[in-house]
Amino acid sequence: MAVTPDASLGARSPELPAQDAPSSEAPARLIATLGFAQFGAYLAVLTPVMVTLALRVSQIVPEDDRSAALGQVLSVGALLAMVANPVFGALSDRTTSRFGRRRPWLLGGMVAGLGGLLVVALGSDVLTLMLGWALAQLGINAALAALTSCIPDLIPPRQMARVSGVVGMTTPLAIITGSGLAQAFSGSMASPSSSRAPSASSPSAASPP
C-alpha cells in the first residue's frame, strides 16, 4: 500500500534572509580588523576570569569564604556565556536593522560588556560582582557571536580557513596579554586592608620610647 507523506513533515521551515558569499578577496585591513576585534573582546572577558575577579573577591570577602564566593561568580558567568553565545548568534542572523545584521550586536554587546566590567570594578559585595559579571558575559558573548558570524559574511570561501586561523590566534594572545597587564597593574589595585589605620601592635603605631 502506498504511503502518502504528511505534508507537515515535508514543509520547509522559514528561511533566514539570504546572504551571498563575497566573491572578491578580502583586504588585509579587514582581516586585521576582525583579528583585533576578537583580540579585544577576549582580552576583556578572559582577563577577569584569570586574574581580576579573584583579586576583587579577595578585597571584599573574608579569607575563609573567598573560594566559595569566587566559584559562585564564575559559575553564573560560565552558565550565561554557554547560553548567550548561540542565542545572540541566532538573533543576529535574524536582525534586519538599517545598520545591518551584525553591527547592533557588536556595538551594543561591547557597550553592555564594558558596563558590566565597570560594575565589577566598583562593586563592594559578592552580589554586585555577580550581577556585573553576568552583564559582562552576556554583552561580550553577544559581540563575539556577531563577530564570529562576520567571517562567513565578509570573507570569500577560498580565504575562510586562513582568516579563521589568523583570528583564532588572537585568543592565546589575549590570554598572555591579559595576564601581563594584570601583573603590571596589580600594585595599583587598592586593597581594603591598605586603607585601614595601623594597629597598636605595629611598629608605626607604637608610641616612641
Side-chain angles (χ1 to χ4, degrees), residues 183-205:
Q183 185 175 5
F185 292 100
S186 60
S188 65
M189 297 185 67
S191 173
S193 60
S194 63
S195 60
R196 296 175 185 167
S199 62
S201 60
S202 64
S204 59

Side-chain angles (χ1 to χ4, degrees), residues 111-169:
V111 169
L114 293 176
L117 293 177
L118 182 62
V119 173
V120 170
L122 300 178
S124 58
D125 55 75
V126 175
L127 180 59
T128 304
L129 290 186
M130 191 178 299
L131 293 175
W133 185 234
L135 177 60
Q137 283 282 12
L138 288 172
I140 295 175
N141 274 279
L144 282 171
L147 181 60
T148 302
S149 301
C150 286
I151 295 179
D153 287 353
L154 303 175
I155 305 299
R158 62 180 177 275
Q159 283 183 286
M160 202 171 295
R162 183 174 59 191
V163 173
S164 297
V166 170
V167 173
M169 287 173 58

Side-chain angles (χ1 to χ4, degrees), residues 12-62:
R12 298 180 62 184
S13 58
E15 295 183 355
L16 299 177
Q19 179 75 26
D20 295 332
S23 56
S24 59
E25 185 168 333
R29 182 178 178 181
L30 173 60
I31 298 172
T33 301
L34 291 173
F36 183 76
Q38 181 142 318
F39 172 81
Y42 273 113
L43 182 66
V45 77
L46 291 178
T47 304
V49 171
M50 297 181 299
V51 181
T52 313
L53 282 175
L55 291 175
R56 294 293 296 123
V57 169
S58 69
Q59 291 176 343
I60 63 177
V61 177

Side-chain angles (χ1 to χ4, degrees), residues 32-116:
T33 301
L34 291 173
F36 183 76
Q38 181 142 318
F39 172 81
Y42 273 113
L43 182 66
V45 77
L46 291 178
T47 304
V49 171
M50 297 181 299
V51 181
T52 313
L53 282 175
L55 291 175
R56 294 293 296 123
V57 169
S58 69
Q59 291 176 343
I60 63 177
V61 177
E63 186 174 358
D64 293 341
D65 300 328
R66 288 174 187 171
S67 297
L70 181 61
Q72 291 172 358
V73 175
L74 290 176
S75 297
V76 170
L79 178 62
L80 290 176
M82 181 177 64
V83 174
N85 208 283
V87 168
F88 287 122
L91 289 175
S92 72
D93 285 340
R94 290 163 172 78
T95 299
T96 57
S97 74
R98 63 189 182 94
F99 301 106
R101 293 195 295 179
R102 314 301 180 192
R103 288 190 185 93
W105 299 99
L106 283 168
L107 297 177
M110 287 309 300
V111 169
L114 293 176

